[in-house]
Amino acid sequence: MRRRSTHVIVRSHHPRLRQSALAALALTLLVVGWLLYEYGRSSAGFSVVEAMRQESDLKGRISDLEDENSRLKGQFTALEQGGEIDRRAYEEVERMMAELQNEALELRQEVAFYRGIVNSEAVEPGLRLQSFKVRREQEQYSFRLVLTQLA
């Protein structure tokens, strides 16, 4: 006859307890990892408070530089406009100077003409050629002849 085994093994089965233990182990590993990370940063000389202070200082510096940039852009625009005004004024002065030089030349020519008439004592009486100018106008020529008669 065969003998039947009378040994029965009874095990308790608690699935939630096992899941809770695994979750607690994972959480513990995360906390320990984070603590080791922070320890490494502090060992390397990193300070969260110092980093926040530097970030705040840099944000202030950025703000100051943006203000200065805006101010300099305004100055640049004003200088550009001033340069344009100066350029126009210079062109106007050059134009007026050319007109005045032309006018002065005409006045000198008139003075020379009248001197020639007034100083007629040295010249013999009769017809005298004062000036002669020839000008080409498209397909034609025009001339200007000025004669004076001294009596």
Side-chain angles (χ1 to χ4, degrees), residues 99-133:
E99 288 176 5
L100 290 173
Q101 285 176 343
N102 289 336
E103 186 179 334
L105 178 64
E106 289 175 10
L107 291 174
R108 279 192 212 116
Q109 289 173 348
E110 286 183 24
V111 166
F113 173 75
Y114 290 121
R115 272 194 187 140
I117 293 174
V118 172
N119 290 337
S120 61
E121 300 168 359
V123 179
E124 298 177 15
L127 198 58
R128 179 174 165 205
L129 174 68
Q130 189 68 35
S131 68
F132 181 73
K133 294 181 184 176

Side-chain angles (χ1 to χ4, degrees), residues 2 4 12 21-22 26 29 31 69 85 101 111-112 123 128:
R2 266 174 74 202
R4 286 186 157 180
S12 65
L22 285 175
L29 285 175
V31 168
N69 191 21
I85 291 170
Q101 285 176 343
V111 166
V123 179
R128 179 174 165 205

Side-chain angles (χ1 to χ4, degrees), residues 81-104:
Q81 290 172 348
E84 180 65 23
I85 291 170
D86 289 345
R87 185 187 60 77
R88 287 181 186 167
Y90 183 75
E91 289 173 357
E92 180 66 21
V93 166
E94 279 185 330
R95 186 188 60 75
M96 287 177 61
M97 192 166 107
E99 288 176 5
L100 290 173
Q101 285 176 343
N102 289 336
E103 186 179 334

